[in-house]
Amino acid sequence: MRTHFVYVIFSLLFLTACTAQSSVEKYDLLITNARVIDGTGSKAFDADIMIHNGIIEQIGDIDHDQTKINETVDAGGRVVSPGFIDMHSHGNPLNTPLFQNFLSMGVTTLSLGQDGRSVRTSDVAEWMNEIAENGLGPNILHFQGHGTLRNLVDAPLEKLDEEYIRQMQQLMDKALQAGSFGMTTGLEYQPGSFADLTELVEVAKPIASRGGLVMSHIRNEDNDKVKESIQELLEQGRLSGADVHVSHIKIVFGNDISHAEDILALMEEARSDGIRITADIYPYHASYTGIGIVFPDWAKPPHKYNEVVETRREELEEYIRNRVEARNGPEATLFGTSPWTGKTLAEVADSLNKPFEKVLVDDIGPRGAGAAYFVMNEEVVRRFLQDPHVMISSDGSPTMQHPRSYGSFAKIIDTYVNNEQLFPIEEAIRKMTGLPAATLGLDNTDHVITPRGIIREGFAADLLIFEPENIKAMSTFDNPHQLAEGFDWVFVNGKTAIREGSLDGRHGIVIKKLY
């Protein structure tokens, strides 16, 4: 009898222990002692963050005794923010899937397919699957390039008829069904420069019907043309119904800050009229693009360059000379292409002992190089940065010879928060997380399976741990491929991409938009 009693007691104790053990919840990661800046612009607050299966499960004062944790990271009072979202970036995820330059400056999501140029395929879904199988450092999302659509339908370099536009609409809709976030245009470049407003509106209509976004490298960013070019984008949005976005907003050789105020006022007026318009900016006063930017349209396809040189050389040289001088002279053009990498146009001309316009005509040509152009005013850049509807981008890539590729997001904190106090850290974080997430629809479960861009329960655990005072943008124009410093931990979908400053794995996904 006594033996039976002892057995029953033992059994009850065992069952109680098992029940207690089973009630303990299990999680992948706990971040303790965090100073949370959540991406909404709200003030920082202290909290712990619990993560499981790549999702933020709990935020606040967490009872550690009722949880079983695979890994605990003590933030030690450092900032924990959402991972940054680059609204305008470049690169080939099959060639450089790790994108270390972006991860090292806190970027956990890239927006690819910019300036009207995306991967040249009519099957975006297949490309997305290939990218996912290859593995990624950060997350990526796809935009369909308008110029690429023209190329896919073999459109001529001229105004298009209805049949070409219909084919482009079909391809655009197919890309949206695959999960593309919308369309980009590059109207300053070929073939986008040949598009008229009718074409731009019609190709944007499938995007409007599905709630996507049109992002535009506008037709002309020069001081005397930029306002007119933004008005064209606004008209595209008004007539198509699509939300619109200005890529890398700038004023080329515009030194009057009142002109920036005029542009921002134009955009605000459009919002009051029901047009949703936003913009992004990189925090540098030099742009980067192909040298063709200083050549006239009549020296580019469909015109034959060799014939133009032979028959209109004097006129061509005069045009280029005037164009370069208007862009702050040959000293303001810094090549990023071999064999002239790191040299200004003035230095190359001196080394060849010939005028710079002849160097461009005879030795380089309109497709022969890429360069940085020091053509923007820093005060104008600051004014755009402060606007609440303007978010941050890099317009960079792993290979580009421009410091924006490796430094943009770090520079926002390093220069404009720490050194200049242009805005508080909470606003800087919002411009790099919550604002782009809202613009893209990444924070909305109607548009994505897992929302992200804000530190909130149920959102993806794309997170950073850092001390703002330690953030340094190391990249320079002389040495652009220097990784940013100070982002101690980078988590992508709840897994460690950077651990205590060291690279630690590929955990990115291809984010698809739901329509």
Side-chain angles (χ1 to χ4, degrees):
M1 187 72 172
R2 181 177 179 183
T3 303
H4 177 71
F5 177 77
V6 171
Y7 175 78
V8 170
I9 295 297
F10 177 80
S11 298
L12 289 171
L13 290 172
F14 179 76
L15 288 171
T16 301
C18 289
T19 302
Q21 186 175 6
S22 64
S23 68
V24 174
E25 297 185 77
K26 298 178 181 179
Y27 295 93
D28 295 330
L29 176 66
L30 171 66
I31 300 174
T32 62
N33 301 316
R35 183 160 67 96
V36 177
I37 299 179
D38 66 7
T40 66
S42 300
K43 289 290 185 183
F45 60 91
D46 295 334
D48 297 341
I49 302 173
M50 193 79 79
I51 296 158
H52 191 61
N53 290 334
I55 305 296
I56 298 170
E57 294 286 352
Q58 295 182 43
I59 304 169
D61 188 9
I62 295 170
D63 185 355
H64 302 180
D65 294 333
Q66 295 301 313
T67 56
K68 181 178 180 181
I69 311 298
N70 287 342
E71 182 176 14
T72 299
V73 175
D74 185 353
R78 288 171 290 181
V79 166
V80 176
S81 81
F84 303 148
I85 299 168
D86 193 339
M87 284 293 291
H88 187 114
S89 43
H90 298 275
N92 185 335
L94 291 174
N95 292 342
T96 58
L98 189 56
F99 289 112
Q100 185 177 2
N101 60 308
F102 292 107
L103 288 173
S104 293
M105 57 177 169
V107 175
T108 55
T109 299
L110 304 178
S111 177
L112 299 180
Q114 299 298 329
D115 300 319
R117 301 166 182 155
S118 56
V119 57
R120 187 165 180 170
T121 178
S122 59
D123 193 341
V124 172
E126 182 181 27
W127 177 80
M128 288 179 173
N129 291 336
E130 184 179 6
I131 297 304
E133 291 173 2
N134 193 48
L136 291 162
N139 307 307
I140 69 163
L141 55 88
H142 173 273
F143 273 84
Q144 177 65 57
H146 164 258
T148 302
L149 289 175
R150 269 182 157 253
N151 292 332
L152 287 170
V153 301
D154 294 323
L157 297 178
E158 59 186 39
K159 179 180 175 180
L160 300 184
D161 61 28
E162 292 181 2
E163 178 56 25
Y164 281 114
I165 293 174
R166 185 187 64 79
Q167 293 177 46
M168 292 168 67
Q169 286 178 320
Q170 290 176 339
L171 287 174
M172 185 68 247
D173 197 58
K174 184 178 179 182
L176 293 169
Q177 291 178 46
S180 181
F181 277 69
M183 180 178 72
T184 70
T185 64
L187 303 183
E188 197 167 22
Y189 307 126
Q190 294 187 354
S193 58
F194 292 93
D196 63 5
L197 183 60
T198 297
E199 175 185 332
L200 296 173
V201 168
E202 291 303 313
V203 181
K205 284 182 177 178
I207 299 163
S209 69
R210 292 183 180 273
L213 180 67
V214 174
M215 301 177 69
S216 181
H217 178 133
I218 57 176
R219 199 172 294 275
N220 195 314
E221 297 171 326
D222 291 355
N223 186 52
D224 60 340
K225 298 290 185 182
V226 61
K227 190 172 182 179
E228 176 186 330
S229 297
I230 291 176
Q231 286 173 327
E232 179 185 40
L233 176 61
L234 289 170
E235 195 70 358
Q236 183 185 11
R238 184 181 71 82
L239 294 174
S240 69
D243 294 340
V244 294
H245 180 93
V246 183
S247 291
H248 44 59
I249 192 169
K250 65 170 74 75
I251 305 175
V252 173
F253 35 80
N255 297 315
D256 188 348
I257 198 168
S258 68
H259 198 175
E261 299 286 0
D262 289 344
I263 290 170
L264 292 172
L266 172 67
M267 294 166 66
E268 188 59 34
E269 182 181 359
R271 291 185 196 104
S272 67
D273 291 338
I275 299 173
R276 187 184 180 201
I277 181 168
T278 48
D280 63 71
I281 189 171
Y282 51 82
Y284 293 89
H285 65 288
S287 62
Y288 190 98
T289 192
I291 198 66
I293 199 78
V294 303
F295 283 75
D297 288 340
W298 45 265
K300 304 173 189 175
H303 308 284
K304 296 181 179 179
Y305 180 68
N306 290 339
E307 289 183 6
V308 171
V309 172
E310 184 177 346
T311 61
R312 303 175 67 177
R313 171 181 282 275
E314 186 175 339
E315 183 182 3
L316 178 61
E317 289 183 0
E318 181 182 8
Y319 178 97
I320 291 174
R321 182 168 59 252
N322 293 338
R323 177 77 168 154
V324 171
E325 292 293 359
R327 295 170 68 85
N328 294 332
E331 297 81 8
T333 298
L334 179 67
F335 287 111
T337 305
S338 180
W340 309 286
T341 302
K343 293 183 178 180
T344 66
L345 175 56
E347 290 170 334
V348 173
D350 287 344
S351 69
L352 296 176
N353 195 29
K354 61 168 69 172
F356 68 81
E357 63 269 24
K358 290 187 181 294
V359 171
L360 290 174
V361 170
D362 296 326
D363 300 282
I364 297 177
R367 296 186 174 182
Y373 309 87
F374 293 82
V375 292
M376 285 112 75
N377 179 280
E378 290 193 54
E379 288 304 314
V380 172
V381 171
R382 286 186 180 88
R383 179 62 191 94
F384 282 137
L385 277 170
Q386 289 177 291
D387 186 84
H389 300 282
V390 175
M391 57 211 76
I392 309 305
S393 67
S394 71
D395 195 9
S397 77
T399 57
M400 184 184 294
Q401 293 286 332
H402 192 298
R404 69 192 189 194
S405 298
Y406 284 66
S408 288
F409 289 82
K411 185 177 180 181
I412 292 296
I413 298 173
D414 186 5
T415 299
Y416 297 108
V417 174
N418 294 342
N419 296 335
E420 298 186 10
Q421 291 85 51
L422 190 67
F423 32 60
I425 184 69
E426 290 88 353
E427 174 63 3
I429 298 300
R430 185 187 74 89
K431 285 177 169 289
M432 297 186 284
T433 60
L435 180 57
T439 303
L440 293 165
L442 289 172
D443 63 346
N444 189 334
T445 52
D446 290 338
H447 296 307
V448 289
I449 293 174
T450 305
R452 65 189 72 227
I454 299 172
I455 296 182
R456 183 175 293 169
E457 291 176 0
F459 276 54
D462 295 342
L463 300 171
L464 311 176
I465 302 177
F466 62 96
E467 185 61 59
E469 291 77 10
N470 294 340
I471 300 300
K472 300 295 178 186
M474 306 303 293
S475 180
T476 65
F477 283 98
D478 291 332
N479 198 356
H481 292 171
Q482 297 298 299
L483 296 173
E485 295 181 355
F487 292 102
D488 303 316
W489 293 78
V490 177
F491 300 93
V492 178
N493 297 304
K495 297 182 180 178
T496 310
I498 290 179
R499 177 185 297 268
E500 296 180 337
S502 298
L503 211 60
D504 193 42
R506 299 184 193 179
H507 308 295
I509 63 170
V510 178
I511 304 171
K512 299 178 183 181
K513 189 160 187 177
L514 307 176
Y515 294 102

